[in-house]
Structure formats: C-alpha cells, structure tokens
Amino acid sequence: MEALKHHHPEAFNSYIDTILNDDSLTDSEKVEHLAARTTYGIPVLAMALKLRLKDPCSSFFQKVSNSRLCKAAKEEALQARNKEGDSWLYTACQDRDHQGIHEFIKLVSNSPLDEETKKELVKGKNRHNRSALFSAIVDGKTLTVVSYVRSILRSSLKESTKKEILLEACAALNIALQKGDSSTFNSLAIELQLGDLDDATTQEILAAKDRFGNPGLAAAYNHGKRAAAESFIHFVLSSDLPGKVKVHLLSARDRNGVPWLFTRLERGYSKDIIASFIKLVLASNLSLQEKRELLKAEHPDGRDGLTQALKYHPKQAEEAYVLPNELPRSKLRGILSAT
C-alpha cells in the first residue's frame, strides 16, 4: 500500500510478484496478502481504482489473471471487497462513480480471465449476493444504471455474457415500476436500443417480469402507479422497437399467458385506465392487426376481454371502450373483428 501511495510502481509490481510466486503460501493466504488492506479495511486494488491509477490497476489485473492461482482465488483477489464483503464494483455503483464503473468493466473485459470469471466480476455482487445493476435500479440511481449498461454493451465481453448480466435487470425493473419509477426504465430501454442486443433479449429485459412471471406494466397498475404505467406505454409506443415487441410488452401477459387488459376487463374495474390505454393504442402507429391484438386482449383459451366485459360488466365496458374515445360501435367492432 505504501508503494502505491508514494507512486513507486517497481516496488508495487515487485510486491505482487513476490506474493504470487511464494509457494509456501496457500491461495487463500496469497489473496489476503495481495489485498494489502489499509487500517480501514480498504484493499490496495480498491484504492488504486478509486485514485484512477491506471498502470497499477492494469498491472494488478494482468499479474493475477496470468498467475497460478486457482479460478476462485483469482476472482476473489480482483473483487477487491471492502471489510463488509461488498465488491468494489458494487460499492462504485452505490457511490455513483461512473468513470470508475467504466474503467473496471473495461479492465475485466480486456483481461485474459475466462469468461465465467469475467461475468462474476462485472456482476459486482454485495455481501448478500445482490448484483450492482439490480441494486442501482431498485435504488433509482438512473445515471448509474445508464453508465453500467452502456459500459457492458460497449465492452468486449461475449454476447452471451452481456445477455446474462443484463437479465439481472428484469426483476429490479419490476420493483422500480411498482415504486412508480419510470425514468430508470425509460433510460435503460434507450441504452438497450442503442446497443446490439437481439430483439428477443431486449423484449425479455423490458418485460420486467418478477420471479413469478408477472410483467412490469401490470405491476405498476396493480400498485396504483398509473403515471409510471402510462409512461411505460408512451415510451414503448414511441420507440423504434419492432411492432411484435411492442405488442408483447403492452400485452403484459402473466405466467399463464393472460393479458393484463383481459384481467382488468373481466373484473370490471378501472374503466378510466382502460379508456386511456385504448386511446393511446388507437393513436399509435401500430398496424391495424397489432392494434386489434392488443385491444382484443385474448385469453389463451380463446375468450377476448371485451366479450367478457360486455357479458359481466356491460356498462363499464361501454364507458371504457366507446364513450371516452368517441369511437362509434361499428368502428370498434371493425377493429376487434377477425381479419
């Protein structure tokens, strides 16, 4: 640590080499010596990263990556955990250290480490096994989320690795929408569109499903966050996403394949929400077929939402579908009828 503080790269590199080549030490002992913690429990690598000392950081990464340490020991040495057990990247995300996030991900992706170790390092987990991206989204750190996602997408990591890392966002986005935080969703969605992810992965992330398969749009409505839900709808409809992806996201089908609109219509409530949704869909540039698919809100068993609503709640259905949208019944039937 003293060599680092006083800018003595030769002494710093010599110390690392001595530890790594000392066969009398076990791998766990080498990891502990390499940490060279301060009296506050800060590892030397964490200090170098915080001070933006590129050469020492690069040297540390290269020497550890190419050493005879076992895979687990290499990962632990490069996590640079604080005394509480949180990885350096997790702490950087919590501290909104955007440049540090970018530099760390770049160091990892350009290192000779195996892809599995790279993946674990850039997930940046804390002592409770929660990833840096998950926590940043849940905590509403929008700019940090953007910085992290952008760095991942622009890195040299394999596409499969990028996909697995970014899928950590799904459940977190669901929680964010439950809280009414649509800005984090919108910002992340923009970054995904600017990246080279395939449509299927983008769709899966933006669906924002929780571990039970409940989508983010439905979660926002179910928790009374109408503004966040409508922001979600506005964003999706105005985006450059393919029509089929837009339909998938706005159908917001649960784990049983039931659209959120079907459930709302069948239960006969929230007519103003339904009317607002219909108006947005009708005013969009979706094709007639895509509008029809969304507004029919068809159950997997073939029943459509409007039929159910007219059967059990005719007055609410008429108020939701016809009156607020100044939509003639004949035109409504034409939109909802089969091609």
Side-chain angles (χ1 to χ4, degrees):
M1 182 62 80
E2 291 303 312
L4 184 66
K5 284 181 181 178
H6 296 93
H7 305 286
H8 296 311
E10 297 83 2
F12 180 76
N13 289 332
S14 177
Y15 176 81
I16 297 172
D17 288 334
T18 300
I19 298 300
L20 290 174
N21 294 323
D22 189 342
D23 293 334
S24 68
L25 297 173
T26 65
D27 279 1
S28 59
E29 289 172 334
K30 288 180 180 180
V31 169
E32 190 56 38
H33 284 299
L34 287 170
R37 298 176 184 274
T38 67
T39 52
Y40 298 103
I42 303 172
V44 66
L45 176 57
M47 184 66 74
L49 287 163
K50 186 174 183 178
L51 295 174
R52 308 284 190 264
L53 303 178
K54 291 187 177 181
D55 288 341
C57 289
S58 179
S59 178
F60 193 100
F61 256 83
Q62 290 298 319
K63 289 178 182 295
V64 170
S65 299
N66 291 318
S67 71
R68 300 193 305 268
L69 288 173
C70 69
K71 177 179 173 179
K74 288 180 181 180
E75 180 190 328
E76 189 58 32
L78 297 175
Q79 290 284 11
R81 299 181 189 278
N82 59 22
K83 61 183 180 180
E84 287 80 20
D86 301 330
S87 70
W88 185 85
L89 183 56
Y90 182 89
T91 303
C93 286
Q94 289 296 296
D95 293 341
R96 297 181 171 88
D97 182 358
H98 302 156
Q99 185 181 344
I101 293 166
H102 173 73
E103 292 298 333
F104 184 84
I105 292 174
K106 185 177 179 181
L107 275 170
V108 173
S109 61
N110 292 338
S111 75
L113 293 164
D114 65 273
E115 201 68 15
E116 183 66 25
T117 302
K118 290 181 180 181
K119 180 181 68 180
E120 290 305 311
L121 286 170
V122 296
K123 280 186 176 181
K125 294 182 177 180
N126 69 1
R127 75 201 88 165
H128 304 300
N129 207 36
R130 177 174 287 186
S131 74
L133 178 58
F134 184 98
S135 290
I137 292 172
V138 170
D139 294 342
K141 294 182 169 68
T142 302
L143 293 179
T144 300
V145 171
V146 168
S147 177
Y148 180 96
V149 171
R150 185 177 297 168
S151 296
I152 292 294
L153 289 172
R154 294 180 180 179
S155 73
S156 58
L157 293 167
K158 290 182 179 179
E159 293 305 309
S160 58
T161 302
K162 293 178 183 179
K163 175 180 177 179
E164 184 172 341
I165 292 166
L166 294 176
L167 284 173
E168 296 270 343
C170 294
L173 283 173
N174 189 284
I175 295 171
L177 288 167
Q178 289 178 35
K179 292 179 175 180
D181 178 9
S182 58
S183 63
T184 299
F185 170 87
N186 293 349
S187 298
L188 185 148
I190 290 171
E191 290 303 317
L192 293 180
Q193 288 185 83
L194 294 173
D196 294 325
L197 283 179
D198 58 275
D199 288 343
T201 302
T202 300
Q203 174 179 290
E204 186 174 356
I205 295 170
L206 297 184
K209 292 187 176 183
D210 64 15
R211 60 194 179 95
F212 302 110
N214 300 310
L217 178 58
Y221 276 133
N222 291 341
H223 285 79
K225 306 300 181 183
R226 179 176 172 179
E230 293 188 351
S231 176
F232 179 110
I233 295 166
H234 274 288
F235 179 87
V236 171
L237 288 174
S238 62
S239 72
D240 294 328
L241 293 167
K244 64 178 182 179
V245 175
K246 292 181 181 182
V247 170
H248 176 88
L249 294 175
L250 297 180
S251 295
R253 295 177 180 272
D254 63 21
R255 59 183 171 181
N256 298 314
V258 181
W260 76 273
L261 184 56
F262 179 94
T263 303
R264 292 267 167 174
L265 288 166
E266 186 180 46
R267 294 177 182 175
Y269 58 79
S270 306
K271 63 185 179 185
D272 56 333
I273 288 176
I274 295 168
S276 174
F277 178 76
I278 294 168
K279 184 173 288 188
L280 290 171
V281 171
L282 291 175
S284 73
N285 60 1
L286 290 173
S287 69
L288 181 61
Q289 180 59 39
E290 289 162 347
K291 291 177 181 179
R292 179 181 295 125
E293 184 176 345
L294 281 172
L295 298 184
K296 283 191 74 172
E298 191 170 348
H299 191 283
D301 65 12
R303 291 176 293 156
D304 68 78
L306 181 57
T307 299
Q308 291 301 106
L310 289 171
K311 181 178 179 180
Y312 297 109
H313 313 283
K315 187 173 185 299
Q316 293 94 320
E318 182 174 283
E319 290 175 342
Y321 263 80
V322 181
L323 300 181
N325 298 292
E326 299 177 356
L327 188 67
R329 288 169 177 76
S330 58
K331 186 175 180 181
L332 179 64
R333 293 192 192 99
I335 291 174
L336 297 177
S337 65
T339 54

